[in-house]
Amino acid sequence: MPRTLKVYVWLVSAAGLIAVAAAARWGDLEGLTRVSHTVLADALFFLATGCLLDMMIVPMTRGGAVSAGFAVFYACMLILGPYLAALVAVLATLWTDVIVRRGVPFYKTLFNVGHAAISLLLAGATYYLLLGGRVGDVRLTSVVDLARIVGSAAVLFASEITAVNLAVALERKAPVRSVWLGNARLVIPLDAALAGVGLLVAVLYANRQALFGGYGWIFVAGVIVLPTSLLFYGSRLYMDMYRVYDKTLRTLSALMEAKVHGAQQEAIGHGERVARFAAAAAEEMGLSAEQVQAIQYAGYLHDVGKVGVPSQVLDNGHAPAEEQASGVKQHAEIGYEILRGIQFLSHVATLVRYHDRRFDQGPYASGAPTRELIPFGSRLLAVAERYDNLVTSAPAPLLPEDAMRRLVEEAGSLLDPRAVEAFVRMLAREAVVDGGRCQEALNAI
Amino acid sequence: MRNLPPLLRAYLVVVPALGGALLVWLSFGLARQPEAKVIEGILFFLALTIIAAQSPVQLPRGGIMSVAFAVDYACIVIYGPAVAAWVAVLSAAILLRKSPWYKITFNAGQLVLTVGLAGLVYGWSGGKFIALSQDHLSLRYSGPAIVLSGVTYTVVNSFAVAIAVALQESRQLMGTWRVGFGWMGPRYLALAPFGVLMAMVYQVPDLRYIGVALFLLPLFWARYAFKGYVDMREVHQQTVEALATALEAYDAYTEDHSDHVSGLAEALARRLAFPETRMEALLFAARLHDIGKFIMEPVLNKTERLTEEDWALIKQHPAEGQRIVAAIEVQPGAASIVRATHERPDGTGYPDGLRGEQIDIAASIIAVADAFHAMTSDRPYRPAMPEHAAIAELSRGAGTQFDANVVRALVELWQAGELPHAQRSRHAENA
């Protein structure tokens, strides 16, 4: 585990525990002073549903996860105040991490407990101290009520997402911004939905007696479980598919390599390595999540055209005249033909099409675009591929440091200087090459 | 509309007529209600329905999913059948405005019948329409009404659609309905409680419309995630197919082979009443049944006689295929099917030497489809065999090399002229 991550995890854990202790000791939040039987029953209700929901973990695309439990913790914060809500969150987190999902490392449990407690206390401070809410009195009648609800929910989830994304970024040594943006597409609507459920639950719980009579809590539990299960189910399907797709591309990429190169061991894994390097460099540049993803997929697939030449590709009339006459097409072009029919993958197909173009060459063959039109992702792939060839190819594979120097020499002729720069930065961040050497290389570009 | 079958045309007139009559009849009841309240309800639920019906998700095996069910249901319970029927008509007119007129009228009519009848059943069986009365909705009193009207909704809706589909494609009604109902029933069961909960939330004085709208958030999220899933699945399927095609395309002869084998396997499976739930796994396995063959390439290119080891390698290719399909993971059942595609009922197949009943029927289907297509297409060393000769050849192997039931199904399809002729039609397309 990187040192920065270790320090961060311990800081969050300690801060969280101190916050709970401090709130317990000094907090003049109302929930504390009126511990009675009904409060106890309420707390047990939220604890039980919170434990149930906390088991529904939705993994995020870029690592980390969102717990559905926050819908209940938020409702509990509105009904019973932040201190009891933090306590419920802490207990529910312990329940899932220690009892349900055994084997979660101790420091992770502590971290989860810590950031949940901090997030709830921050949201509580917004709701009660900053915007003057009263414990158990959830209303939606004025603009101020709305501001309280929206503001505290925003603080809760922003704090929660940031804590988790920061840990993911430190663990994967990826830029925080890129992890945040990569996850945001999925997490923001999910959190908004969870906040909505939390609000509904709070209002219904507060009015359950009047509305539904003695067994109202059963009904409220239904409002909690039904929508969140649906959320959980949909997200799970999506995330699983995501993971499966990635794995499929890796499998197929290895399969194609085995078919093309036979027993040449060093060729195996080339696609996967190019994908990883190019995607990491793209993250380094702060490209959007979609772009990073497309570059990664294109990395897996960039040599697909070497596998075979489907006959319809050869005689479909799309190829430039001289290529058709010679009967030979570049493998990149063939790869493009194979991939371009796949829905949603057209951008990936374009990246594959141009990944083997030299940077300094103008219009390539007839009908091909000029330099400006070649997508930057293809440039990144070219650098990643060149690097992998340099460090793996027999008979004389280079050391990473020497390969990096070679890339710098080739920047401007074979390779795009901007892409090389991003790649070198990535090598430094991933500690593949010593940081000082990377700085020298960057100065030389 | 003119090129539609006459019965279907009649049906497309009858449904809107019945729907219109029901709408008029329901509207008489509406006249007794406070006007402002009725208009408010219609506008609110119309907006909600239109939002809920935006970009519905195309499901992999046909059909669409939208969260409109839940909204319909909430509208029935809160405002009753008349408002729900008007919302249905207006939303159909708005949402389908770019479709041919008979689609709009049919859908409007069909929806009026569905929500109208469901609403009437709800009222007759003791349910309360909470916006129009001072009563609270209580599960204890309205429970039976909720269940009965839910059943009505599903049955009316699925029949109305199934009849249209059956008439259009001249298929058997009950079979079509079962497929549609099997698709709709579970979704309805999942979404109906949302409708009830939305209606109950509506009763909270503080929440009203906000509460109903809040309920849509998780529904929308689920829809969004589900759309992501369906899209991703589509990409996955297409990627695997494109790459499998690329992998197998080392000569022009085998190129479309897997496409045809899966087309033929589907026809055979339907003939044999192969369970619909395993159909996707079967088709996936048929599509990829050759994917393990690349390990045989060094052997296939040999000019000298094959050795023992070469044969051992060849016999491993279904196992290699199983490994790859298992790694692709998207159809968990497909991997073991691929493994068994070279087994023979007499036990002399490979890699496991399974016998008769031990062989998965799915694998036997693929084996027959594979052999039939291989025999009836050109190869470098021989021209294609005529279909009747291939059928005779397969019949000779029935019970020993091939599963006898599958061969019988193939013969029946051939006699009925129902074999898919993928190759011919493809050439026609190219021309």
Side-chain angles (χ1 to χ4, degrees):
Chain A
M1 188 159 79
R3 240 197 43 224
T4 42
L5 177 62
K6 217 179 269 180
V7 172
Y8 170 69
V9 164
W10 284 110
L11 267 179
V12 169
S13 312
L17 294 180
I18 291 171
V20 173
R25 177 70 185 75
W26 294 293
D28 54 359
L29 306 162
E30 261 175 83
L32 263 186
T33 55
R34 26 156 241 162
V35 172
S36 62
H37 285 301
T38 57
V39 171
L40 206 61
D42 293 346
L44 279 177
F45 172 80
F46 286 116
L47 183 59
T49 47
C51 285
L52 190 67
L53 256 63
D54 202 46
M55 292 192 278
M56 300 184 191
I57 305 265
V58 180
M60 297 188 274
T61 36
R62 289 319 204 43
V66 177
S67 156
F70 276 87
V72 170
F73 305 152
Y74 180 62
C76 184
M77 194 276 286
L78 297 178
I79 299 280
L80 295 177
Y83 165 62
L84 279 178
L87 199 65
V88 164
V90 166
L91 290 176
T93 308
L94 286 175
W95 151 263
T96 19
D97 281 8
V98 179
I99 296 177
V100 180
R101 297 193 298 152
R102 284 180 211 123
V104 176
F106 180 65
Y107 71 91
K108 274 197 183 170
T109 307
L110 258 188
F111 173 73
N112 285 337
V113 164
H115 71 72
I118 294 177
S119 302
L120 279 162
L121 291 182
L122 283 178
T126 313
Y127 188 84
Y128 294 104
L129 300 180
L130 214 59
L131 297 170
R134 293 204 357 253
V135 172
D137 183 27
V138 192
R139 293 161 180 279
L140 265 175
T141 38
S142 70
V143 181
V144 184
D145 296 335
L146 201 67
R148 263 201 290 271
I149 299 282
V150 174
S152 59
V155 168
L156 173 66
F157 287 104
S159 148
E160 164 67 12
I161 304 173
T162 307
V164 174
N165 278 334
L166 207 57
V168 172
L170 289 173
E171 187 177 10
R172 294 184 45 221
K173 296 192 206 139
V176 181
R177 183 170 163 274
S178 129
V179 173
W180 224 106
L181 291 178
N183 279 333
R185 188 172 40 149
L186 207 69
V187 167
I188 288 177
L190 178 59
D191 278 346
L194 286 176
V197 172
L199 175 62
L200 258 183
V201 167
V203 177
L204 292 178
Y205 193 82
N207 297 302
R208 70 188 184 285
Q209 200 72 33
L211 285 171
F212 317 111
Y215 288 96
W217 59 271
I218 296 179
F219 170 62
V220 180
V223 177
I224 296 175
V225 171
L226 209 62
T228 39
S229 313
L230 195 68
L231 285 182
F232 176 68
Y233 174 69
S235 318
R236 207 60 209 229
L237 276 179
Y238 181 41
M239 297 308 306
D240 279 352
M241 204 60 225
Y242 223 80
R243 193 182 50 72
V244 166
Y245 189 61
D246 197 75
K247 190 168 165 223
T248 298
L249 287 187
R250 264 184 290 145
T251 307
L252 289 171
S253 145
L255 193 62
M256 292 180 304
E257 282 155 1
K259 189 175 152 93
V260 173
H261 301 286
Q264 277 173 277
Q265 276 307 308
E266 70 277 359
I268 307 300
H270 172 69
E272 193 175 339
R273 288 191 299 267
V274 169
R276 187 158 48 81
F277 283 136
E283 271 190 356
E284 181 66 44
M285 297 212 48
L287 298 186
S288 75
E290 285 84 0
Q291 281 171 304
V292 173
Q293 180 124 65
I295 288 170
Q296 186 179 352
Y297 290 167
Y300 287 132
L301 299 171
H302 71 277
D303 276 345
V304 59
K306 285 186 180 166
V307 171
V309 187
S311 59
Q312 77 256 28
V313 172
L314 277 177
D315 52 39
N316 67 355
H318 287 301
E322 63 264 43
E323 284 182 19
Q324 217 166 21
S326 67
V328 179
K329 283 220 268 179
Q330 302 293 321
H331 78 273
E333 193 66 23
I334 298 166
Y336 169 72
E337 298 284 353
I338 292 173
L339 297 176
R340 68 188 194 135
I342 302 175
Q343 257 179 58
F344 308 107
L345 233 52
S346 61
H347 187 53
V348 173
T350 311
L351 293 181
V352 167
R353 184 180 204 176
Y354 300 120
H355 81 271
D356 67 340
R357 299 292 169 91
R358 285 179 64 101
F359 176 67
D360 57 4
Q361 257 175 0
Y364 187 92
S366 64
T370 55
R371 187 157 80 194
E372 287 69 33
L373 290 175
I374 293 182
F376 182 71
S378 297
R379 305 292 193 199
L380 268 182
L381 286 168
V383 177
E385 173 155 45
R386 181 77 183 129
Y387 175 82
D388 192 57
N389 287 339
L390 288 172
V391 295
T392 54
S393 64
L398 299 181
L399 290 173
E401 199 181 311
D402 298 327
M404 178 185 75
R405 275 205 206 93
R406 185 73 73 81
L407 296 182
V408 171
E409 283 163 27
E410 289 168 352
S413 55
L414 198 60
L415 306 170
D416 182 341
R418 272 207 310 147
V420 173
E421 196 186 318
F423 198 80
V424 171
R425 280 187 206 285
M426 184 275 296
L427 289 177
R429 196 191 63 216
E430 304 237 317
V432 179
V433 179
D434 171 65
R437 302 285 156 130
C438 290
Q439 198 49 52
E440 282 169 29
L442 285 175
N443 294 337
I445 296 175
Chain B
M1 189 166 180
R2 216 166 292 150
N3 44 17
L4 299 176
L7 267 178
L8 179 61
R9 262 187 286 175
Y11 182 66
L12 290 181
V13 173
V14 168
V15 168
L18 285 176
L22 184 61
L23 187 66
V24 171
W25 185 69
L26 287 172
S27 300
F28 282 122
L30 209 54
R32 287 194 296 273
Q33 302 295 344
E35 207 173 284
K37 194 130 208 181
V38 167
I39 292 176
E40 181 185 295
I42 290 180
L43 287 181
F44 176 70
F45 275 99
L46 185 60
L48 219 55
T49 307
I50 287 169
I51 295 170
Q54 286 310 309
S55 55
V57 183
Q58 286 285 333
L59 294 171
R61 301 290 286 172
I64 50 173
M65 170 183 151
S66 92
V67 296
F69 280 137
V71 176
D72 278 352
Y73 206 73
C75 185
I76 291 174
V77 174
I78 295 175
Y79 281 102
V83 168
W86 274 106
V87 169
V89 169
L90 294 173
S91 64
I94 294 172
L95 289 168
L96 298 172
R97 63 189 176 278
K98 291 192 184 107
S99 314
W101 62 269
Y102 60 87
K103 267 198 178 166
I104 303 177
T105 50
F106 171 72
N107 274 294
Q110 180 262 108
L111 281 171
V112 167
L113 289 178
T114 304
V115 295
L117 291 176
L120 286 173
V121 167
Y122 179 80
W124 289 333
S125 49
K128 297 271 186 281
F129 303 110
I130 55 187
L132 304 178
S133 65
Q134 294 310 309
D135 296 315
H136 267 316
L137 178 64
S138 134
L139 283 178
R140 198 180 308 165
Y141 302 118
S142 298
I146 289 170
V147 173
L148 282 176
S149 64
V151 172
T152 312
Y153 186 110
T154 324
V155 170
V156 173
N157 192 277
S158 53
F159 262 113
V161 175
I163 293 173
V165 173
L167 287 175
Q168 183 167 19
E169 300 179 6
S170 47
R171 280 198 293 195
Q172 205 203 345
L173 173 61
M174 288 315 283
T176 314
W177 176 73
R178 263 199 302 277
V179 172
F181 187 77
W183 166 79
M184 191 176 153
R187 268 159 202 79
Y188 186 80
L189 279 181
L191 286 172
F194 275 92
V196 178
L197 284 178
M198 275 161 93
M200 293 184 109
V201 166
Y202 173 88
Q203 301 177 90
V204 182
D206 236 17
L207 287 179
R208 286 274 181 247
Y209 295 123
I210 297 178
V212 176
L214 276 178
F215 247 100
L216 280 185
L217 277 177
L219 284 176
F220 268 129
W221 163 256
R223 194 204 70 81
Y224 172 79
F226 200 74
K227 176 158 172 49
Y229 162 72
V230 171
D231 287 352
M232 202 73 197
R233 204 184 134 95
E234 185 64 34
V235 178
H236 188 280
Q237 197 92 10
Q238 290 186 11
T239 308
V240 169
E241 285 181 8
L243 297 192
T245 307
L247 275 167
E248 75 184 32
Y250 41 84
D251 66 65
Y253 294 99
T254 53
E255 196 193 311
D256 283 339
H257 175 65
S258 301
D259 270 349
H260 297 159
V261 171
S262 72
L264 206 50
E266 183 169 8
L268 287 171
R270 297 226 186 274
R271 184 88 196 175
L272 289 162
F274 185 76
E276 197 65 32
T277 45
R278 289 188 66 209
M279 194 61 103
E280 274 193 278
L282 168 70
L283 296 182
F284 197 70
R287 196 65 202 65
L288 296 185
H289 73 277
D290 268 346
I291 201 162
K293 269 198 176 158
F294 79 98
I295 60 163
M296 295 165 35
E297 260 174 61
V299 180
L300 294 179
N301 295 333
K302 265 183 156 177
T303 44
E304 65 266 39
R305 248 185 104 75
L306 299 184
T307 62
E308 258 331 274
E309 291 94 74
D310 292 340
W311 280 111
L313 190 65
I314 289 176
K315 290 185 174 180
Q316 271 316 300
H317 92 261
E320 182 65 17
Q322 176 195 28
R323 196 183 62 75
I324 295 163
V325 175
I328 290 172
E329 235 182 281
V330 71
Q331 287 292 342
S336 59
I337 301 178
V338 169
R339 185 182 179 98
T341 46
H342 287 267
E343 300 290 355
R344 298 168 47 137
D346 62 7
T348 61
Y350 57 89
D352 298 317
L354 301 179
R355 291 180 161 275
E357 292 289 296
Q358 295 173 310
I359 306 170
D360 185 349
I361 181 79
S364 308
I365 289 174
I366 295 174
V368 169
D370 184 19
F372 182 75
H373 181 257
M375 284 189 267
T376 53
S377 53
D378 289 320
R379 285 289 179 272
Y381 42 90
R382 58 150 178 79
M385 208 185 261
E387 281 183 358
H388 64 84
I391 293 277
E393 183 71 35
L394 284 168
S395 303
R396 264 195 296 282
T400 51
Q401 189 179 354
F402 302 106
D403 186 290
N405 287 330
V406 181
V407 173
R408 194 177 319 122
L410 181 77
V411 173
E412 285 165 8
L413 281 176
W414 179 66
Q415 283 166 347
E418 286 171 9
L419 278 184
H421 294 287
Q423 196 147 25
R424 228 169 286 155
S425 61
R426 193 160 297 226
H427 281 297
E429 263 168 45
N430 287 348

